[in-house]
Amino acid sequence: MTSNIQFTTSTTDITPLERVGAHSHIHGLGLNDLLEALPEGNLVGQPTARRAMGLVLKMIQEGQLGGRAVLLAGPPSTGKTALAMGLSQELGEAVPFVHLSASQVFSRDLSKTEALTQAVRRAMGVQIVEETEVLEGEVVEIQIDSFADKGKAGKLTLCTTDMETIYDLGSKMLEMLRTEKVSAGDVIRIDKGTGQIRKLGRSFTRSRDYDAVSSTTKFVPTPEGELQKRQTITHTVSLHEIDVINSRQQGFLALFAGDTGEIRQEIRDQIDAKVTEWKEEGRATLVPGVLFLDEVHMLDMECFSFLNRALESEWAPFVVMATNRGLSKIRGTDYTSAHGIPVDLLDRLMIISTQPYSVQELRQILQVRCTEEQVEMTPTALELLTRIASETALRYAMHLITVSQLQAERKKRSVVELEDVELCYQLYYDVKRSTKLLMEYQNQFLFNELSVEQEEETKMMDVEESNRLSLTTHRASSTVQKINQRHHRQTREEALFVCFFTFATDRKKTQTTNERLFVVLVSFIMKFSASAVATALIFGATSSFAFTPIANSLQSRSAVVVNSSSFTPSSQNNNKMPIRAPPALQMSYTVGIVGATGAVGKEIKDCLEKRNFPVSQLRIFGSARSAGTTVQTEKYGSVTVELFDRAAARECDVVFLAVSGDFALEHAKALVEGDDGCVVIDNSSAFRYEKDIPLVVPEINGAETKKCKLIANPNCTTAIGLMAIWPLHQLYGLKKIIMSTYQASSGAGQEGMDELQQGTQKWLQGDKVENKIFAHPLPFNVIPQIDKFMDNGYTKEEMKVAWESRKICSLPDDFPVSCSAVRIPTIRAHSEVIIVETEKPVNVEEARRVLAESPGVKLVDDPSQLQYPMPLTATGQYDIEVGRIRKSLIFGDYGLEFFVCGDQLLRGAALNAVLVAEEMANNGSLKAKAKA
């Protein structure tokens, strides 16, 4: 019996465990073509050191730097290992990179020189070239014939652009096809000698088979010419691997046997001679790699002497060393030298210095780590973590990220808040506080080795601190007593603030002094007004970590009736969140998605999962073509696509429509009809301009969701722009909005992205570029037309921005809004230049602050460091980016100009739809139906 191949019944998907390492966020050195450090990227700071490593990279790639060495020298936590990892990523997998900590040399059964020799030879690669016969083509069809006595056999039809052939397959080949998950439309390569099958990608001819494909899916052209070809294959192995294979009886299996032991020098000499012979015959090429020696100051004189000799060999790799030592003794000797390295070896090294990070760079590093560890953190929590990093250590602050997230999860929150970081700071000590604890309780520990002189010195320090506290307390008393007399120019609250600021900025006080001082000040503050107490609470909660429990105590003891949460930093600044927190409700909902295989529908599904929307059941509806297929999800398992049925969809609590406007017009109102109808959030333009149907951006007009069960999602361009416009309207009042939008090809759907990618490839090959989706060819071009032209000369897309902005912001129908929409050759994320005229005079710094604190907005505005919004950095982000904020030259003090970028599939569509559902869940508009 012949049938299409099916493999799903006997396989089990296993999700791999992805661990986040200390440097897993490093993907390169972050340099442009001129070897200048890029301001945005996963490698932060150290621009000079990165540029120096960029030059090293170029020389390694050009083969000019083999057998030389670089020393990365700098204080702890200044990115030395990160630079080495960046170099490794830039070199790629073809170039060997060996990471060895110097302390490992002394912790193995091998001799020190043997351990270093093996490391050196692991860093030397050999590219061996072989020729083999392969079959390469596009899979047309796979047929399986099942026989009761002979098992399974089958036929495989392969084609190129010139020919097509059918091959008979045995059970082993069928099993290999199943293992590689090969299906019709895949381009594969079969090694005739070994039978090994490799999937090269999907054929471009099948790129439109699905509405949406994974971002990892690779499309390749159908092979040309004959199916059977002779192909040159290159294998890269290290000299050490060849050493092991030839020094053990089990051959290459010795590579899996663990510790290989010492290898005789005679074997290495024979291998070197053989590799030299292969080089002369053109069968092999030597590839000098990189040996990274961390903690190089831990080596001794014998190891340094070995490295001196090894660097002179023609078989030597490029060596990168790292140290955080200054002037120190060379291990095993009484000689002092720079970095603990002998002078004769230092002479061979190119030394690259790393500098301590600035506060801004620390903040950026912590933000990158939060993204890598998939942790969402409020700006106030991030600011506190940055302060901890600057006052303690960067590594310590990075350790607090994950534990703070666990603490937030324990409180049923998806976003880490300031109180989570504060608690973890109190639970886990940094080095300074741990040392102080040891000094205070030294006599209670076993084996206390603090000398009598050191104990006396500690006691003297305590006496000096006590005297200092007495003097400071006297000054505090004098200052507070004068507060009642200061009725001119300064209120009592202002005087208190000055008093607090004077004491809190005194860098010579210890944390214990701060606590005692705060208690003294509180005793005076309690005599004054409620506003004075409020001032004390606000400043006390923000000026020192140790003040928080004291401020809480003051709140409970105070006779003033206030809402205590309004005085804590986490509440005061919590308006600024990357996104809203998901609804903290006990109930969960049956959620339906219509069009989940399209670009927007797929993002809606992902947002529901990532934001932990309370879903009891996920139902996906589709057309007859997709019904019966399955959609894989991380949280809800495998979901079978149902054929859309109006009655079945009404069983859901909320339905997201990610389909055409015609479909929405036909079904949306019927779905919400009656008391048993469901909530519908429509992503099309079908209902945006109907007066009685809310058009909602939750951060602006979320209250509108209480009026109707049918909610319209705005145009993506409008939603992105209003996220930045609305806070400024609230602050200054707007008179005019002028907008120019630069929209990515994905605004036209998957077909638009395909046309750009395929057209770009044809343009680069010199072929004619065709256009079906856009008015003109888009590659290397811009098109000042999106949607059809209207009678007033504007396009419909441009008028959408005007109509929707007025409706969402409750502006008059004649409010001046002008937009120009341009299609540009980028894949994802729209960009907008916005100019506003205001009713009140503007202040640029105030505008920056307000935007930075606004929910869903990320301020990226430091032109001196080349930091501004870009589609490249906005893609995949929930927040929009806003920058280039400046006073308008046209409107003067009554105008602002700025640049905005946002992911239109998220902020402009899917994320906004999910936020609407969360808003409705929080305000009670979305209710879970009783289950039968």
Side-chain angles (χ1 to χ4, degrees), residues 363 366-367 370 377-387 421:
R363 184 183 299 107
L366 292 171
Q367 183 64 65
C370 286
M377 187 173 292
T378 64
T380 52
L382 181 61
E383 196 64 35
L384 175 57
L385 200 63
T386 303
R387 179 180 169 190
V421 180

Side-chain angles (χ1 to χ4, degrees), residues 32 36-41 360 364 831 858-874 880-886 898-901:
N32 60 19
E36 296 171 339
L38 298 173
E40 291 288 338
Q360 183 178 357
Q364 191 175 348
S831 305
K858 178 183 178 182
L859 183 66
V860 185
D861 193 20
D862 191 355
S864 65
Q865 298 298 318
L866 306 182
Q867 293 184 1
Y868 28 69
M870 295 184 293
L872 196 64
T873 53
I880 68 155
E881 294 183 350
V882 59
R884 296 294 316 281
I885 303 170
R886 57 205 187 273
F898 48 93
F899 189 71
V900 172
C901 283

Side-chain angles (χ1 to χ4, degrees), residues 682-733:
D682 176 37
N683 279 274
S684 76
S685 60
F687 304 103
R688 290 174 184 165
Y689 314 117
E690 290 196 16
K691 182 178 180 181
D692 297 330
I693 295 179
L695 181 64
V696 176
V697 174
E699 291 84 350
I700 299 175
N701 62 337
E704 294 291 308
T705 57
K706 297 180 180 180
K707 298 180 179 179
C708 184
K709 289 197 293 186
L710 174 56
I711 307 297
N713 221 26
N715 176 276
C716 54
T717 309
T718 307
I720 291 170
L722 288 185
M723 291 299 295
I725 291 172
W726 178 252
L728 298 175
H729 179 52
Q730 295 293 98
L731 184 63
Y732 300 119

Side-chain angles (χ1 to χ4, degrees), residues 113-173:
T113 53
E114 175 64 20
L116 287 171
T117 301
Q118 290 188 9
V120 167
R121 292 180 73 83
R122 281 203 307 270
M124 289 297 295
V126 180
Q127 286 185 345
I128 302 172
V129 181
E130 295 179 345
E131 281 194 355
T132 184
E133 289 190 353
V134 297
L135 298 174
E136 189 172 289
E138 177 185 341
V139 177
V140 178
E141 185 181 11
I142 303 174
Q143 293 182 340
I144 297 179
D145 300 323
S146 299
F147 303 98
D149 55 340
K150 299 181 181 179
K152 292 183 178 180
K155 296 182 183 296
L156 171 66
T157 305
L158 291 178
C159 75
T160 65
T161 56
D162 300 326
M163 62 181 298
E164 181 176 309
T165 305
I166 301 175
Y167 296 93
D168 293 326
L169 302 178
S171 58
K172 290 185 178 180
M173 289 295 292

Side-chain angles (χ1 to χ4, degrees), residues 173-307:
M173 289 295 292
L174 287 174
E175 177 64 21
M176 293 181 70
L177 287 172
R178 185 193 68 80
T179 303
E180 291 293 323
K181 299 181 180 179
V182 175
S183 61
D186 289 337
V187 177
I188 64 172
R189 178 185 295 157
I190 304 175
D191 190 320
K192 290 190 67 176
T194 63
Q196 182 180 4
I197 298 175
R198 181 185 173 193
K199 184 161 67 172
L200 304 180
R202 293 284 295 173
S203 171
F204 276 123
T205 59
R206 302 296 186 101
S207 61
R208 297 192 180 184
D209 285 1
Y210 305 97
D211 294 334
V213 295
S214 169
S215 59
T216 59
T217 302
K218 178 182 179 182
F219 288 99
V220 296
T222 302
E224 300 177 351
E226 297 288 333
L227 278 165
Q228 184 169 324
K229 305 172 183 176
R230 291 192 63 84
Q231 188 167 33
T232 301
I233 297 179
T234 302
H235 306 284
T236 301
V237 295
S238 69
L239 285 176
H240 177 66
E241 290 171 337
I242 302 175
D243 294 344
V244 173
I245 293 171
N246 287 275
S247 65
R248 299 291 181 267
Q249 293 182 352
Q250 61 266 48
F252 79 94
L253 294 176
L255 294 171
F256 308 98
D259 194 354
T260 58
E262 299 207 8
I263 300 173
R264 290 182 293 118
Q265 185 59 38
E266 296 82 7
I267 293 177
R268 290 194 173 115
D269 292 339
Q270 294 173 9
I271 291 170
D272 292 349
K274 191 65 177 177
V275 171
T276 302
E277 180 183 333
W278 289 345
K279 284 174 58 181
E280 294 173 352
E281 294 173 357
R283 295 173 53 195
T285 304
L286 204 60
V287 183
V290 176
L291 171 60
F292 176 46
L293 283 173
D294 205 358
E295 301 173 341
V296 69
H297 53 266
M298 295 295 293
L299 297 178
D300 60 13
M301 289 295 289
E302 184 179 353
C303 297
F304 287 130
S305 298
F306 172 85
L307 289 174

Side-chain angles (χ1 to χ4, degrees), residues 480-491:
V480 176
Q481 287 171 356
K482 294 178 181 178
I483 289 176
N484 272 334
Q485 304 171 8
R486 307 184 76 171
H487 295 293
H488 57 287
R489 295 189 181 180
Q490 195 173 40
T491 66

Side-chain angles (χ1 to χ4, degrees), residues 303-313 342 344-346 348:
C303 297
F304 287 130
S305 298
F306 172 85
L307 289 174
N308 255 325
R309 181 181 62 83
L311 289 173
E312 295 176 348
S313 170
D344 58 339
L345 181 58
L346 281 173
R348 294 179 177 272

